[in-house]
Amino acid sequence: MTAYAHSPQEAVFSADALLEELGNDEQALGRTIKMVRDGISPGVEPLNAAAAAVHEGRLGEARHLVQQLRHSLSPFGAQRLAAACMSLELTLSGSEVLEIPLLFSRVEMELEQVLEQAGAWLDQHAGRSSRR
């Protein structure tokens, strides 16, 4: 079985490092808010597209879509999602196809947590009246 594990210390979502890197001021906050909005705006669609590609036997395309998902959310400290995506990517590259559904479920679970926490972060930093 492809290894997938996370420790409780691994982040689900954190924009702190990105905010710090961008200058940790009002302008950096505005840029970070935009990046978070853009990062989460596709929601679960990339994962759904990857699942469709697997269903149609296009494992390479599915792997690429999962890799893009991992990279699109990596600036936000989504370490648990990254680990789950990496396990799925490796499985899609190999021959252990029986593991694919379980790993998709794990990626979906981690992605939903990232989307939830990122949404809460946006609510806190951009206000509920702002468009997500």
Side-chain angles (χ1 to χ4, degrees):
M1 180 172 192
T2 303
Y4 164 76
H6 65 80
S7 72
Q9 292 81 24
E10 288 182 317
V12 172
F13 171 85
S14 176
D16 295 343
L18 179 61
L19 188 57
E20 183 87 18
E21 184 179 313
L22 294 176
N24 208 18
D25 57 13
E26 285 300 314
Q27 184 178 12
L29 179 60
R31 289 176 30 204
T32 303
I33 288 169
K34 181 181 180 344
M35 290 175 72
V36 170
R37 276 192 189 124
D38 291 348
I40 67 170
S41 67
V44 298
E45 183 53 37
L47 192 58
N48 291 341
V54 167
H55 183 70
E56 295 168 5
R58 297 177 284 120
L59 299 183
E61 181 180 338
R63 183 183 49 76
H64 182 71
L65 290 166
V66 172
Q67 182 182 40
Q68 286 179 324
L69 173 65
R70 177 170 52 91
H71 286 289
S72 71
L73 296 172
S74 65
F76 314 120
Q79 296 169 339
R80 290 170 41 171
L81 175 64
C85 285
M86 184 62 77
S87 291
L88 179 54
E89 290 171 49
L90 292 171
T91 299
L92 289 168
S93 296
S95 60
E96 300 173 15
V97 294
L98 295 177
E99 294 181 36
I100 292 173
L102 174 64
L103 294 172
F104 259 103
S105 295
R106 290 178 176 168
V107 171
E108 181 179 30
M109 178 186 71
E110 297 296 346
L111 178 58
E112 287 173 355
Q113 289 182 17
V114 168
L115 296 174
E116 178 65 31
Q117 287 192 17
W121 185 89
L122 283 172
D123 287 344
Q124 179 182 2
H125 291 85
R128 290 191 181 270
S129 62
S130 297
R131 181 183 63 80
R132 270 197 204 173

